[in-house]
Amino acid sequence: MTRIDQLSIRGKLILIILVVSLSALAVVALASYLHSRQQGRESLAQQLTTLTQLMGDRSAAALAFLDQYGAQGNLAALQNVPNVTQACLYDAEHQLFASYQRTGVQPTCAARQPDWAGNVKFGETGVLAQSVIALNGRSLGVLEIESTLAPVERELRAQLLFNLASLALAAILAVGLSLWLQHLISRPLIRIRDVAEEIELKGQFSLRAPHSGSDEISQLAKSFNRMLDKIETQNRQLIQRQTESFERMRRIESQQSAIAMLAKWPAVLSGDMASVMRQVTQNYGAILNAARTSVWMFNADESVLECQDLYLRDRAEHSSGQVLAESEYASEFRALKRSKYVDADDALNDSRTAGYVEGYLKPLGITSLLDVGIQAGSRHYGVLCFEHIGPRRHWHADEISYAMAVADQIAITLQNALRAASDAALRESNAYTKVLFSDSRIPLVVLDPDTGTILDCNQAAVDIYQMQRMEDVLGCSPLDVSAPTQYDGTDSVVAAKAHIARAITDESHVFEWRHQRPSGEIWDAEVHLMHFQAGGRDLLQFSLQDITARRRAEARIHQLNQELEQRVASRTLQLAESNGQLQATLSTLQHAQTELVRSEKLASLGSLVAGIAHELNTPLGNSLTVATSLADATNEFLHEMKEGQIRRSVLNRYLVQASEASELLSRNLFRASDLITHFKQVAVDQTSAQRRSFDLKENIEEIVLTLQPQFKHTPHRVEIDVPDGLQLDSYPGSLGQVITNLTLNALLHGVHGRPDGLIRIHAEQQGDARVQIAVADNGCGIPAEHLPRIFDPFFTTRLGQGGSGLGLHIVYSIVTRTMGGFVDTQSSVGQGTCFTIDIPLRAPHQQPGKELQT
């Protein structure tokens, strides 16, 4: 039996067909042989009885007249009958009267007494016929004629040769037919195996198993192909995510490079607002792929926004002049002033942009917008606006930081423009324009380089230093409002002397400086330091621009860049691990495919294929065992027949065994067919996203049935507690994936290593619209520090031992996205784990083209 179990499916099919066919033909041949033998014996007995009666009638006169010579002559005529070996004629006193023996035959007439029975007796080598001789009612004697069984044996030999020839011909036909029939089953399986091996060797996930028709093998190939489609899609998605990560890193580098170039652009330093706004709307909006980029400036009381420059990317046109009044858009203006930016991903439904919808957004087809304030300190100068047309988009953190940095450069340009205008006014007037100096919203300070003290400042400077009075600023040193050290660790005293010396040489320059307010708060400013003369004295003037928010944004961008690099490295490692897991999975699939060509299908094409192969092996193995037993019974029957011990009871027993064997063969083969049909439905559900109505208990029982091979060699068991008649309009394949992942997770991580693990699947309807499904085990439980991460992708405690870290993540994704529910986990170390799934009886409809991302 061990050798038979090791046969491939092809060999088993051929063996079953041969054994059944030859056994049936052998039974028919045996029955024909016995029938012919019986008929031959009866015919021989009839012939011999007739001959005995005829010779007895001819010998009656000789007995009556005691004519031994005449009687001897009558018996001598039997030499013309070749099968007659001896004839004995006895008188009324049982004395031998006359006899005949064929040459070479030992006479036995004198040694026996007739029994006057007048019948036929069969011996081992011959037959004996008796006939009582009577005349006028008086018995004269008895005639016995003995014959061989040669006529019967000749007929039986001919019959046996004919039967053997028929069996040989039938065996040849059965072999040919079985070879042809087994190709219908084994050839498609071999093709699937070849495809799996080629995928393993070449890594080409685009290969597919050929199939034709709609039988179970073809459905198996289609399911295999659908699984390859999912593997190929997941592999493609991993590569796409890695590409997107690298693309985002390059985008951030491009943004940083653009900001650096803008900060050094002469138009910014000179305060050329028109050039800067045109450059920003035309080129810097393109980095964010904005359809419309515009710069809007407030009027003096910040009640009106006027478009200074609007660039339409699709038309390559600049325009200006549009006006928005606070009286019409009060809540929108309030949102702009309260926050540094407004990131409306869905501008048509965002409360911060509700007033723009009918008169501005809808007519222009704008779906998403990003507004960033142009401000310095508490003063709002305007808004930098990026507008998107088409499907809604999400504004990422790096994009917002980039937009804020561009807006800061516009504010710096405006400050430089205001400073330039102030300088021009000073040059036009010999008087010290105290009014312009004092009323400027830009913090301005006049410094004596010789004493290093502040001679004058405006109210904006007092405000930015957060001093109580202007007198608190005058007379103090810039070092009194500076941090002890600067960004590179240089002492502020040393750094200040270097900047003053550079400015005295008539080299105006811009630098960043760390300040410290009386409260101890550290803040950052961009300082524009320049040298001028007044009254024959060398003085220094510098303006301040609070860039604390910008530096924080730059720090955030730098942090995001580092996190992105770490994430790319992590994703790369995860991709390598995933590829390794995929290769391991393919190796398992190929091994399972080889075993299925012998006895089952690929083991890791989901546990479904392993279940099919395992469950099919049982009825096929039973069929082979029954066929073998039937063959043994047939051989025993033939042996008893040859021994001449054939009895009706033996024949009846054989017929009962043959009938039971036929019934068992039919039952097991029908069981195999039913299993294939049953598992085909499960395969269709688990490899498709088909939505349909189904019975929850039947669906779970089908899934658990496919998982039984996983539990066969373990002491663990699964209990199902689901009420009858609980109907769902949902996705049975997705639900089956969830139940499969949770059950296998409990088997591999929960009850693994325990002597009597129990996994219980319980369902209960909640109200009229929802159902709760709980999958609980009595295993080792999950440590508390792992619970917050169990649904994270690639998180596993069995890395390198077959765990991919995706099982529970897929469960979470399917339940929350596809089925519209949620997952809850309760676990105690040493007590077990319970996953509770709460889903609606009627699943929400998915959007067209939307697929599950895992």
Side-chain angles (χ1 to χ4, degrees), residues 163-208:
N163 290 341
L164 291 176
S166 299
L167 284 174
L169 179 60
I172 294 173
L173 291 176
V175 170
L177 182 60
S178 61
L179 288 174
W180 178 74
L181 289 176
Q182 61 84 23
H183 279 298
L184 297 178
I185 298 177
S186 63
R187 185 175 298 170
L189 295 178
I190 292 174
R191 290 176 181 171
I192 297 176
R193 179 202 61 191
D194 294 340
V195 170
E197 290 177 349
E198 190 169 359
I199 291 174
E200 180 188 19
L201 293 175
K202 300 181 179 179
Q204 296 181 356
F205 295 101
S206 60
L207 296 176
R208 295 295 180 269

Side-chain angles (χ1 to χ4, degrees), residues 105 142 172 186 255 285 322 328 354 397 496 533 647 713 797 841:
V105 176
V142 176
I172 294 173
S186 63
Q255 295 170 0
Q322 188 172 357
E328 298 178 4
Q533 288 185 342
R647 296 184 303 276
H713 299 292
T797 58
L841 295 175

Side-chain angles (χ1 to χ4, degrees), residues 41-89:
R41 290 166 66 93
E42 291 175 357
S43 177
L44 179 60
Q46 183 65 33
Q47 293 175 5
L48 195 59
T49 300
T50 303
L51 179 61
T52 303
Q53 291 175 352
L54 180 60
M55 294 302 294
D57 292 341
R58 294 181 58 185
S59 301
L63 280 173
F65 295 100
L66 302 178
D67 184 5
Q68 290 184 337
Y69 179 77
Q72 194 70 31
N74 288 336
L75 296 180
L78 293 175
Q79 64 182 354
N80 296 322
V81 183
N83 55 299
V84 174
T85 58
Q86 185 174 242
C88 304
L89 180 61

Side-chain angles (χ1 to χ4, degrees), residues 439-456:
D439 293 343
S440 175
R441 294 181 180 273
I442 299 175
L444 297 174
V445 178
V446 177
L447 178 69
D448 185 352
D450 295 330
T451 62
T453 59
I454 296 175
L455 298 178
D456 199 1

